[in-house]
């Protein structure tokens, strides 16, 4: 059998871990600090993609496709989450004319 994933394995695994940690941290900060619902949704996607990066990197270093298969399922769930999230944001914008999440405290009953 020949070499598998030689390009992926030529980059040290620590680089992927550092990049994924930075991306995940930026996503968490965006969710906690921003008030725009669309930006918050984008930051959640950034966190999911940082996890996907780690899964793909570990899968490539181990030489099996289990992590890459899990990445595919996470991407399917993320696409469904974006569709539902944008539908909710569109409905809330139609009612309040804003996507500022601090306005949505009025929805508490």
């Amino acid at each position: 059998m020949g070499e598998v994933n030689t390009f992926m394995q030529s980059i040290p695994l620590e680089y992927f871990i550092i990049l994924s940690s930075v991306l995940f941290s930026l996503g968490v900060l965006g969710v906690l600090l921003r008030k725009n619902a669309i930006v918050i949704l984008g930051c959640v996607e950034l966190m999911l993609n940082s996890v996907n990066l780690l899964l793909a990197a570990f899968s490539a270093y181990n030489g099996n496709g289990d992590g890459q298969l899990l990445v595919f399922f996470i991407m399917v769930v993320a696409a469904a989450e974006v569709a539902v999230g944008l539908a909710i944001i569109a409905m809330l914008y139609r009612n309040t004319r804003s996507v500022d999440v601090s306005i949505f405290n009025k929805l508490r009953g």
Side-chain angles (χ1 to χ4, degrees), residues 53-70:
L53 176 67
L54 268 185
L55 282 171
F58 284 134
S59 175
Y61 274 86
N62 287 336
N64 62 6
D66 295 342
Q68 294 172 3
L69 186 65
L70 189 58

Side-chain angles (χ1 to χ4, degrees), residues 3-36:
E3 299 264 335
V4 179
N5 293 324
T6 56
F7 173 72
M8 194 75 165
Q9 291 174 346
S10 67
I11 301 171
L13 188 59
E14 291 83 20
Y15 290 175
F16 288 108
I17 294 171
I18 291 169
L19 177 62
S20 181
S21 300
V22 168
L23 289 175
F24 193 85
S25 300
L26 286 173
V28 168
L29 284 175
V31 167
L32 294 176
L33 298 178
R34 300 302 298 239
K35 293 187 183 220
N36 189 336

Side-chain angles (χ1 to χ4, degrees), residues 38-99:
I38 296 172
V39 173
I40 291 173
L41 190 62
C43 290
V44 169
E45 289 296 317
L46 185 65
M47 290 188 293
L48 283 173
N49 284 329
S50 70
V51 172
N52 285 343
L53 176 67
L54 268 185
L55 282 171
F58 284 134
S59 175
Y61 274 86
N62 287 336
N64 62 6
D66 295 342
Q68 294 172 3
L69 186 65
L70 189 58
V71 165
F72 175 73
F73 286 117
I74 291 173
M75 290 176 82
V76 169
V77 169
E81 176 246 334
V82 166
V84 170
L86 286 177
I88 291 170
I89 290 171
M91 185 59 85
L92 291 173
Y93 179 77
R94 198 181 306 175
N95 291 333
T96 62
R97 296 287 180 221
S98 176
V99 290

